[in-house]
PDB file of all heavy atoms in Angstrom:
ATOM      1  N   ALA A 971     122.956 123.919  91.360  1.00  0.00           N
ATOM      2  CA  ALA A 971     121.773 123.077  91.167  1.00  0.00           C
ATOM      3  C   ALA A 971     122.160 121.611  91.028  1.00  0.00           C
ATOM      4  O   ALA A 971     121.509 120.726  91.604  1.00  0.00           O
ATOM      5  CB  ALA A 971     120.992 123.544  89.943  1.00  0.00           C
ATOM      6  N   PHE A 972     123.205 121.334  90.259  1.00  0.00           N
ATOM      7  CA  PHE A 972     123.636 119.949  90.077  1.00  0.00           C
ATOM      8  C   PHE A 972     124.119 119.352  91.390  1.00  0.00           C
ATOM      9  O   PHE A 972     123.845 118.184  91.690  1.00  0.00           O
ATOM     10  CB  PHE A 972     124.736 119.865  89.011  1.00  0.00           C
ATOM     11  CG  PHE A 972     124.193 119.717  87.625  1.00  0.00           C
ATOM     12  CD1 PHE A 972     123.888 120.835  86.878  1.00  0.00           C
ATOM     13  CD2 PHE A 972     123.972 118.470  87.074  1.00  0.00           C
ATOM     14  CE1 PHE A 972     123.365 120.715  85.593  1.00  0.00           C
ATOM     15  CE2 PHE A 972     123.450 118.328  85.800  1.00  0.00           C
ATOM     16  CZ  PHE A 972     123.148 119.461  85.051  1.00  0.00           C
ATOM     17  N   TYR A 973     124.827 120.124  92.165  1.00  0.00           N
ATOM     18  CA  TYR A 973     125.322 119.628  93.443  1.00  0.00           C
ATOM     19  C   TYR A 973     124.164 119.282  94.377  1.00  0.00           C
ATOM     20  O   TYR A 973     124.143 118.222  95.004  1.00  0.00           O
ATOM     21  CB  TYR A 973     126.227 120.682  94.081  1.00  0.00           C
ATOM     22  CG  TYR A 973     126.813 120.270  95.415  1.00  0.00           C
ATOM     23  CD1 TYR A 973     127.670 119.177  95.512  1.00  0.00           C
ATOM     24  CD2 TYR A 973     126.502 120.980  96.573  1.00  0.00           C
ATOM     25  CE1 TYR A 973     128.218 118.794  96.730  1.00  0.00           C
ATOM     26  CE2 TYR A 973     127.048 120.600  97.801  1.00  0.00           C
ATOM     27  CZ  TYR A 973     127.896 119.515  97.874  1.00  0.00           C
ATOM     28  OH  TYR A 973     128.419 119.141  99.082  1.00  0.00           O
ATOM     29  N   ILE A 974     123.177 120.156  94.438  1.00  0.00           N
ATOM     30  CA  ILE A 974     122.038 119.935  95.333  1.00  0.00           C
ATOM     31  C   ILE A 974     121.171 118.778  94.850  1.00  0.00           C
ATOM     32  O   ILE A 974     120.728 117.929  95.639  1.00  0.00           O
ATOM     33  CB  ILE A 974     121.209 121.226  95.470  1.00  0.00           C
ATOM     34  CG1 ILE A 974     122.031 122.299  96.205  1.00  0.00           C
ATOM     35  CG2 ILE A 974     119.896 120.965  96.197  1.00  0.00           C
ATOM     36  CD1 ILE A 974     121.381 123.666  96.230  1.00  0.00           C
ATOM     37  N   ALA A 975     120.910 118.722  93.550  1.00  0.00           N
ATOM     38  CA  ALA A 975     120.021 117.690  93.012  1.00  0.00           C
ATOM     39  C   ALA A 975     120.587 116.289  93.179  1.00  0.00           C
ATOM     40  O   ALA A 975     119.838 115.335  93.395  1.00  0.00           O
ATOM     41  CB  ALA A 975     119.734 117.962  91.538  1.00  0.00           C
ATOM     42  N   SER A 976     121.914 116.159  93.085  1.00  0.00           N
ATOM     43  CA  SER A 976     122.520 114.827  93.012  1.00  0.00           C
ATOM     44  C   SER A 976     123.106 114.315  94.311  1.00  0.00           C
ATOM     45  O   SER A 976     123.457 113.133  94.403  1.00  0.00           O
ATOM     46  CB  SER A 976     123.635 114.834  91.956  1.00  0.00           C
ATOM     47  OG  SER A 976     124.661 115.743  92.314  1.00  0.00           O
ATOM     48  N   THR A 977     123.205 115.144  95.328  1.00  0.00           N
ATOM     49  CA  THR A 977     123.840 114.724  96.572  1.00  0.00           C
ATOM     50  C   THR A 977     122.808 114.544  97.679  1.00  0.00           C
ATOM     51  O   THR A 977     121.678 115.027  97.593  1.00  0.00           O
ATOM     52  CB  THR A 977     124.892 115.748  97.022  1.00  0.00           C
ATOM     53  OG1 THR A 977     124.266 117.036  97.161  1.00  0.00           O
ATOM     54  CG2 THR A 977     126.029 115.839  96.029  1.00  0.00           C
ATOM     55  N   GLY A 978     123.231 113.849  98.745  1.00  0.00           N
ATOM     56  CA  GLY A 978     122.315 113.594  99.849  1.00  0.00           C
ATOM     57  C   GLY A 978     121.128 112.787  99.361  1.00  0.00           C
ATOM     58  O   GLY A 978     121.264 111.848  98.579  1.00  0.00           O
ATOM     59  N   ARG A 979     119.964 113.154  99.824  1.00  0.00           N
ATOM     60  CA  ARG A 979     118.752 112.560  99.259  1.00  0.00           C
ATOM     61  C   ARG A 979     118.439 113.311  97.972  1.00  0.00           C
ATOM     62  O   ARG A 979     118.118 114.491  98.000  1.00  0.00           O
ATOM     63  CB  ARG A 979     117.580 112.690 100.247  1.00  0.00           C
ATOM     64  CG  ARG A 979     116.292 112.085  99.724  1.00  0.00           C
ATOM     65  CD  ARG A 979     115.180 112.216 100.762  1.00  0.00           C
ATOM     66  NE  ARG A 979     113.946 111.604 100.296  1.00  0.00           N
ATOM     67  CZ  ARG A 979     112.842 111.485 101.022  1.00  0.00           C
ATOM     68  NH1 ARG A 979     112.829 111.946 102.277  1.00  0.00           N
ATOM     69  NH2 ARG A 979     111.759 110.910 100.542  1.00  0.00           N
TER      70      ARG A 979
END
Side-chain angles (χ1 to χ4, degrees):
F972 272 88
Y973 181 63
I974 293 172
S976 62
T977 57
R979 180 179 182 175

